[in-house]
Amino acid sequence: MAANETTSAVADSATNAPNAVHAAESTEKNNRHQGNRGGRDRGNDKQKRKHSGFGSAKGPVPDKRERVQNDRNAKRRKVIDEENKGNSYMSIAFTPEEIAAEERRPKRKVAVMIGYAGTGYHGIQINHKDKTIEGDIFAAFVAAGAISKANADDPKKSSLVRCARTDKGVHAAGNVLSLKLIVEDEDIVEKINAHLPDQIRIWGIQRTSNGFSCYQACDSRWYEYLMPSYSLLPPLPHSFLGKKLTKSAKEKGVYDEYVDRLDDVKDFWEEVEKNDIQPILEKLEPDVRTEVLRKLHDTQDQDLDDEGMPTKPDSDVVAEDTGMKDAHEQEKSKKAYGSAEAEASLGDTPVQEQANGQDSKTEAVLTPVEAAFREIKAAYVAAKRRYRVSPARVKRLQQALDLYLGTRNFHNYTIMKSHKDPSAKRHIKSFQVNPTPITIRDTEWLSLKVHGQSFMMHQIRKMVAMAVMVVRCGAPLSIISVSYGPRRISIPKAPGLGLMLERPMFTEYNKKAAGLGKEAIDFSKWEDQIAAFKDEHIYRRMFELEEKENSFHLFFNQVDNFRTDYFLWVTAGGVEASHERSDRTEKVPKALQAELGDEADGVEEVGT
């Protein structure tokens, strides 16, 4: 008997059967709390009721699933139509006639092993507005017939999940997607790859159980970070941070210890000034030399306003900073980057010209001051590229990385997390720097590999930056341990250019899969293909982009020359000398946002 029928019967016989009333009330209570037939019928009856009441619409009330779908469709249309002018990277539309004419084929839950060079992409995670790795892969699935036309308008219909999220421009030699695909064709991998650019590859597709989620099944992840060894050079002595380091060490009475920690690089810049910079200055006319030195000082010691612009009204300095901002906007607009033509065009941006010590003005209009200034900046960059790291510097870097091992509170290494947030605690299994550097053209590179259970947004890049800042600035290693405490420390975010997801691990899943007769998720069978892909599409892009854009030079140059106390924790004054932000939403100069990671790229390196 339905719940409403039970209540009516109870009302009719209430005066003659008190016990029946009690029994009926008990029945109705059980229906509500236990979800028996009466409760279910009542719920179904509610779904059939019409809208009623003043101002309500007529017609049946949609059930919960339909309401959720309607809301999702409405939000999707709003993003596509209002925010992206009718375009979408994650919703491929077909006509009702095309969908009806398509042959229906069964879907299977699978794990898709992928690799990609992230250059030119806004991370892996698919969205309507930006060019992403998943967006191109999803389109290739549809084009190859692995996803039906009926399901092409929404990746959620195929239960798309990624194992590890990667940030804008970050690469992956191995990553995994899990979803439902049509995989009857024996050559489905080749068909999908035929619709992908060369910088994205499908290594293989494996059948899994229906409940498989690559995100939940992943035990840990391996990442590699490549950086030029010159990143370990100390700041220029006349930069803002360079002067603060020396002054603070002398004031605290630890100057000798500070110099000892710099080891073999303590005189590096003095030698460069003597052998590379002075000869340039000596050949200049006195008035030109004076102006060059003034301009050099102004570009290396600037107060910043809230917009991140220099406060000194020097037109040359302002023009350079404005040129950098304009170049940043140009770079953001290059959605199709990845082709050879787009790569070549990068060399024309003001960022690249400034990085190589060149003005954005042409040779024909360079003044003597501008020509000399360009020559000096180029000499500094060339000196960095000549640097070859010593075993002692590598050893000190390894000592810093060792302090990350174990379970630590990394709230200072991401955004929007407090010290009390349990999710800020992450476990690092290993963090090793290869003691043997590699030399590519004129630049020496170091390889750092980290193995952890999971990582938060920007965590790896901030871990690298912290360790490098400690080594290059001669700071005590203990500052890394201090960073796990409640004090908020502003840690810069190292360039994404050098970061690569090596591969996720599925140790526990593979053990269970073997007992169920399922194939293990293992990238070893494609080892040769992956190695060739890394050399051709990932490492090559890293080396070429660094050579064109000097990303690491610009990053450390900006950090060293911001006239701010955000990074003064690296001095002898410690955290007390640095600015402690009151909360994560505190306004900071726009020029600092990219370095701090507040200007988030929209995706996490690995989901929390």
Side-chain angles (χ1 to χ4, degrees), residues 481-500:
S481 299
V482 173
S483 71
Y484 305 139
R487 167 86 185 208
R488 283 179 172 166
I489 300 175
S490 296
I491 302 173
K493 181 183 65 172
L497 167 68
L499 184 60
M500 178 185 71

Side-chain angles (χ1 to χ4, degrees), residues 69 72 76 90 138 151 153-160:
Q69 186 62 41
R72 181 183 297 168
R76 182 168 65 243
M90 65 180 289
F138 182 74
N151 293 332
D153 64 332
D154 188 355
K156 289 185 174 66
K157 292 183 178 179
S158 299
S159 304
L160 175 63

Side-chain angles (χ1 to χ4, degrees), residues 229-230 233 265 268 383-390 393:
S229 64
Y230 72 66
L233 285 172
V265 297
F268 179 85
K384 284 186 173 183
R385 295 197 179 281
R386 289 198 308 268
Y387 174 68
R388 296 297 179 260
V389 71
S390 68
R393 299 295 279 170

Side-chain angles (χ1 to χ4, degrees), residues 42-100:
R42 184 178 65 177
N44 291 335
D45 189 54
K46 181 179 179 181
Q47 293 171 9
K48 296 174 184 176
R49 284 189 291 121
K50 305 264 186 185
H51 287 285
S52 61
F54 178 76
S56 61
K58 295 181 178 180
V61 179
D63 61 23
K64 183 176 180 180
R65 179 178 297 178
E66 186 178 351
R67 290 199 305 272
V68 170
Q69 186 62 41
N70 290 342
D71 289 345
R72 181 183 297 168
N73 290 337
K75 290 177 181 178
R76 182 168 65 243
R77 290 315 318 170
K78 181 178 181 181
V79 172
I80 294 173
D81 296 336
E82 297 181 15
E83 300 180 25
N84 215 38
K85 300 180 180 180
N87 300 313
S88 172
Y89 285 101
M90 65 180 289
S91 182
I92 303 173
F94 291 95
T95 65
E97 291 76 19
E98 289 175 313
I99 294 174

